[in-house]
Structures are given as structure tokens and as C-alpha cells.
Amino acid sequence: MPQGWLKSAHQGDTRVLSAGGDWTLSSLAHLDEPARAQADGPAPARARVLLGDVLRMDTSGAWLLARIGHGLESRGTALTIEGLTPAWQELLRLAREVPDEPMPPSPRARGLLGFLDKVGRRTVDVGREALALLSFFGETLGALARTLAQPWRLRLTSLVRQMELTGLDAVPIVALLSFLIGIVLAFQGADQLRRFGAEIFTVNLLGVSVLRELGVLLTAIIVAGRSGSSFTAQIGAMQVNQEVDALRTIGLDPVEVLVLPRVLALAITLPLLVFLADIMALAGGALMVVTTLDIPAAQFLRQLSGAVHPGTFWAGLAKAPVFAFLIAMVGCYEGMRVERNAAGIGRSTTKAVVVSIFLVILVDALFSVLFSQLGI
């Protein structure tokens, strides 16, 4: 059953409200917030309500439409409604005869039932969000397949620019934090191993943990907070300014124009940033080991070469493109879904960072299980 929706656009001094889906009781809660924004927000000189995409309407949907119309007309807006069927006209006439009173909030259970109700609602919301994200994942893969089949569709200027923003500009913060993490890890490891007279194995701890896990995980978290949030803010601002709608109007696919260059740029630059993070973390750990444990640099390198092998390095680096795809996709997805109000970009940016980091850690855990099963 298609859920009802309401979108707003401007044509000069006329606000155009496009409605679609099922305007029925099941969609009332979903439509209530955008309807309130139209009924209570700034009133234009003229407004048109287009119902051409509405599939079904019952008394609840007609009442909601009447409330929007009353809110606009009461402030001097000249309102026209297009696409009304005779049955819907009668429903709207009846709905307009009902006094325009605020809808009382639905009663909520308290105590244990209230807690279970809240958990259930959140679970349903998470499920819907996961399905929407999966759908966006499919759109992104479709755009990527079209680009691979027709490489000239890729906008190289945009790709190079995003590589600069996500890769080159991130070098200082990634290098500094990785260097400091290497120092901390070596210090804490040496402090524990000293109790057993095994300080030399600090090198083993440092090499394996950095190359296999911490280098790629730390870099992905930094990039999620830096570039992922930037993607959401950039696309979200375009969504608020209706630039994304303008792209669709001129026949361009926003996923191909806005999302794909960012996804590909991060997939290229994140493995390079991970390599840099590995080198800087090992350098920080080496500095700590050489200066505090009196282990010569040559012995540090010999111990490191014996502790790690090429598979350890590649096991960490192989995760980078997957993490990059997740971070870029979530950041762009949240940007596309920004609400057109003052707080929308802030909420979506925060959500993008939280969801990206959650997915990165979840997928990293899945990689660990997979590598364990494969004996890598």
C-alpha cells in the first residue's frame, strides 16, 4: 500500500503542493507534519494543490486537505485544488463543515506498556529506514553500472574535486591522530607486557593491531565524521534550495550527478588514507618503543617484520573500499532526505555520522568473523 506524501515547490509567487499515494487513515501520522508546515507556515499569495498522483482518499485525507486549505485561506492565500474526483469533492465538502480544531494527541500507554509501545515504534522506524537505505543502495549500484557501461557519463571534474576534498584535505588530521594513537598503543602495551618481562612483544602488538584493525577502523571513523557529514550538508543544502529538483527537471539523475562522484572519490582515497594511517601509527609506536624501552630501531624493524606478514596488511586494507562505500552512501542518502526546514540539515548530518560509524563497526565485526573462518 503506497504511503501518502506531500511535496512543496515554488513557481514565482505561487506555492505548488503536489500530493500522492494513499491519503487515508493509515498515512495520517506520516502526513501530519508536512500538512502542519503548510497550514501554519508562511503563507504565499497563491497556492495550487495537485492531487493527480493521489491513489485513494478517505475522510481522514479529506479532513487533512481541508485543514491545509483553511490554514492558507485564513491568511489571504488564493487557493486552487486540482485533480478532485466527484467523490473526493463530496468528502472535502463534508470535511470543511467540521470545525477546524487541533487534533488531540493520541493517548499513549504508560509504564511497561508504554515502554513496549516505544520500543515497537522505534523498531518499525528502524526497519523502514533500513529498507529505504537498501533501496538507495540499489539506485547507487544501478548508476554505477550505467557509468561502467558508458564511462563518458562520469564527470571527471567533480570526481577529482571530491578526491581533493575527501583525500588530500584529510591528510593532516589522519596523519596526526594516527601518530598519536600509535604512541598511546605502544605505551599501554609496553606498560602491561613489562610485568612479564616481554616488552619486546610490544612491537608485535603494535604491528598486528594497527595493520589489521586500528588503522582502517580509525581512518574510517575520522572520514565518517569529516567527509560523511560534509556530503550530507552539501546535498542537504541543495535539497533545501530545490537544486536537486532542478536537476530532475532538466533530465539529470541526482544519484549519477551528486552521489556517484562522491562514492567513487571516497573509494579511491580511503585506501590511500589507510596506508598513511598505518605508516604514521607505526612511526608513533616506533618512537615510543625506541625512546622508552631502549630497543634500537633496527631491532624494532626486525621484530616487526617477523610479527606481521603481507596478509596482515592486505586484510586491513581490503576493508577500506567497503567502508568508503558505506560512508559515502549513507552521507548522500541522508542529504537527499533532508527536511526543508531550519533544523533539517543538522539532524540529518548527525544521523549520517552515527549511522555511518555504526555500519562501519558492524561490517568490521563481520569481516573479523569471515577472516577467522577463512584462517586469514
Side-chain angles (χ1 to χ4, degrees), residues 204 206-213 278 307-319 371 376:
N204 300 55
L206 178 68
V208 174
S209 59
V210 167
L211 295 179
R212 192 180 183 91
E213 290 292 340
D278 290 344
V308 300
H309 52 84
T312 305
F313 169 74
W314 290 112
L317 197 63
K319 305 174 187 178
F371 289 163
I376 298 177

Side-chain angles (χ1 to χ4, degrees), residues 331-342:
C332 295
Y333 166 77
E334 294 297 340
M336 290 289 201
R337 290 172 58 90
V338 164
E339 299 174 6
R340 292 176 178 175
N341 54 52

